[in-house]
Amino acid sequence: MSIPSSLLASESITFEGAIELTQSLLSFMEADRLLQADIQQAVTSLVKTQNGARGFFVTYLTDDREEPDHPSPGVVEALRSAPEIVAELLVKNLAMSAAMVVHHSRQQKQEMAADSARVQERSRNLIQILQIPACQTIASQMLESLQSANGKYETFFQRWGYDDEQKLAMGSAVRSAIG
């Protein structure tokens, strides 16, 4: 069995193209139609670019299937192949989803809050499984920005307009992931 070329991302893949490719990949995985080496090759092709990695994570972390709750060896090894891109996106997904749990809970949108909590849990789980040193570095920088209202991630927090309660939830989530 060899991997269909349609499951391999090009260097010029768009964010939207990466979402579509990841959806196809998850369907193949669910149908047990790929070897772990094929899964690793497909995910590696996605996460080597910013657009590919963003599209992969937005799809993978929010998918209704169980695969993202228990990442396969092929996914794990592929994510380790691009530590800088993967680490930043995972830590940001962890923080943003924690903030969205607060937001949706305030709006009494329990289903959306539960979806955000699932993304938060999946992000935390991947950070802990991968043990990429860059995750620790980025998490520390993010915590520093949360504490000092300054630093590398302060513009990120300002751009999304996170309030104190959301920042508290973000800090708690990030600390729990890096333990």
Side-chain angles (χ1 to χ4, degrees):
M1 181 185 330
S2 97
I3 187 166
S5 62
S6 63
L7 293 180
L8 296 174
S10 71
E11 294 278 338
S12 60
I13 194 164
T14 63
F15 173 65
E16 295 78 11
I19 289 171
E20 288 177 30
L21 194 151
T22 303
Q23 289 168 339
S24 296
L25 176 62
L26 285 166
S27 294
F28 271 80
M29 290 167 70
E30 183 179 42
D32 201 24
R33 292 178 53 200
L34 295 173
L35 301 171
Q36 288 301 312
D38 296 335
I39 294 167
Q40 182 175 344
Q41 185 181 0
V43 176
T44 297
S45 76
L46 278 161
V47 299
K48 69 183 173 190
T49 68
Q50 194 71 32
N51 279 339
R54 284 180 51 241
F56 172 78
F57 281 121
V58 79
T59 307
Y60 187 79
L61 294 173
T62 61
D63 194 81
D64 288 332
R65 288 171 268 235
E66 291 185 21
E67 158 64 28
D69 295 320
H70 310 284
S72 68
V75 169
V76 170
E77 287 311 307
L79 295 179
R80 287 185 175 136
S81 73
E84 278 71 35
I85 291 173
V86 166
E88 178 140 41
L89 289 173
L90 274 176
V91 175
K92 282 182 173 179
N93 271 296
L94 175 68
M96 293 172 81
S97 59
M100 292 312 291
V101 169
V102 172
H103 173 77
H104 293 312
S105 295
R106 286 180 188 153
Q107 308 291 319
Q108 277 127 26
K109 295 179 179 174
Q110 299 317 320
E111 190 174 322
M112 292 175 85
D115 289 345
S116 292
R118 181 174 63 180
V119 170
Q120 180 183 341
E121 177 57 27
R122 287 174 170 179
S123 299
R124 184 191 62 74
N125 186 40
L126 278 170
I127 289 168
Q128 292 177 336
I129 289 169
L130 293 171
Q131 294 293 306
I132 299 172
C135 282
Q136 192 84 23
T137 302
I138 292 163
S140 296
Q141 291 169 338
M142 189 172 281
L143 289 170
E144 171 60 33
S145 291
L146 284 167
Q147 290 172 337
S148 68
N150 207 332
K152 183 171 181 179
Y153 289 95
E154 183 56 25
T155 55
F156 168 73
F157 300 139
Q158 288 176 355
R159 178 174 8 135
W160 295 105
Y162 296 123
D163 63 31
D164 289 343
E165 185 182 4
Q166 288 173 308
K167 288 180 180 179
L168 197 61
M170 294 166 104
S172 177
V174 170
R175 274 190 292 283
S176 81
I178 61 170

